């Protein structure tokens, strides 16, 4: 069962994060843009960042000396962050909230996310920005986002244990 496998996964994950901490060139940067700028300046060689920060910086600095790498393409795929929205249980404006959520999925709204923020649109009928499409395609890791949320507190405790800040 998943519950029985968690201690094994936690130990393996702890070892991975300990390796990250040992290999840090500097303290963890407070935001992705600072990390990408440090890579560009040669302060460090690699980092993990959200691609939309990369797109924003690339737009400002077209000669940015940073490239993208999609890990795990021959196996489970690369991690993908998901933005989500919902309606709180005791909403006083449930119909308006639902209408807003439905609007967020429309081509117009998804186009704004894609073209103004360099995000991958959730609506498959909306094309990504040309900067984003220039990065090529990748295989995403299709995880159970609900399970990841359930494990977030444990993950934060693990990071604290190994000194990841």
């Amino acid at each position: 069962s998943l519950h029985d496998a968690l201690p094994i996964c936690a130990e393996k994950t702890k070892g991975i994060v300990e390796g990250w901490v040992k290999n840090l060139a500097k303290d963890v940067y407070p935001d992705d843009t600072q990390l990408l700028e440090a890579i560009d300046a040669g302060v460090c060689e690699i980092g993990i960042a959200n691609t939309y920060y990369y797109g924003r910086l690339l737009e400002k600095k077209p000669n940015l000396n940073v490239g993208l790498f999609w890990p795990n393409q021959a196996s489970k795929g690369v991690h993908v962050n998901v933005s989500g929205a919902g309606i709180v249980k005791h909403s006083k404006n449930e119909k308006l909230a639902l209408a807003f959520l439905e609007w967020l999925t429309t081509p117009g709204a998804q186009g704004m996310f894609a073209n103004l923020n360099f995000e991958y649109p959730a609506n498959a009928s909306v094309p990504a920005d040309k900067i984003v499409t220039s990065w090529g395609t990748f295989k995403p890791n299709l995880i159970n986002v609900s399970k990841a949320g359930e494990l977030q507190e444990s993950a934060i405790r693990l990071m604290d244990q190994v000194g990841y800040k």
Side-chain angles (χ1 to χ4, degrees):
S1 79
L2 178 61
H3 188 318
D4 295 334
L6 282 177
I8 296 168
C9 291
E11 282 305 310
K12 184 175 180 181
T13 302
K14 185 176 181 181
I16 291 168
V17 178
E18 284 174 333
W20 290 352
V21 170
K22 289 177 186 173
N23 284 306
L24 287 173
K26 298 185 67 122
D27 286 342
V28 175
Y29 289 90
D31 66 54
D32 292 20
T33 302
Q34 288 181 32
L35 167 65
L36 293 166
E37 288 171 335
I39 295 169
D40 185 46
V43 174
C44 53
E45 294 181 15
I46 62 170
I48 299 172
N50 288 298
T51 53
Y52 59 91
Y53 287 101
Y54 178 70
R56 291 176 190 170
L57 191 55
L58 194 58
E59 183 179 49
K60 291 179 187 173
K61 295 177 72 174
N63 295 324
L64 187 69
N65 191 27
V66 177
L68 292 179
F69 171 74
W70 308 115
N72 301 317
Q73 293 303 283
S75 59
K76 61 187 170 196
V78 66
H79 171 75
V80 176
N81 281 347
V82 178
S83 298
I87 302 171
V88 295
K89 185 176 182 177
H90 298 290
S91 173
K92 292 180 182 163
N93 295 303
E94 189 173 332
K95 287 182 183 180
L96 286 174
L98 180 59
F100 178 66
L101 293 179
E102 289 172 345
W103 175 81
L104 285 173
T105 66
T106 65
Q110 287 292 299
M112 284 189 261
F113 283 106
N115 297 313
L116 298 175
N117 202 37
F118 303 106
E119 294 194 46
Y120 289 88
N123 183 326
S125 71
V126 177
D129 182 87
K130 65 182 182 204
I131 289 176
V132 174
T133 57
S134 74
W135 304 334
T137 60
F138 60 88
K139 177 182 173 183
N141 184 353
L142 302 175
I143 65 167
N144 180 332
V145 178
S146 295
K147 182 54 67 181
E150 290 173 19
L151 297 173
Q152 183 175 4
E153 186 178 328
S154 297
I156 291 169
R157 275 197 308 272
L158 185 145
M159 290 186 298
D160 287 342
Q161 288 173 5
V162 299
Y164 186 89
K165 299 176 184 174

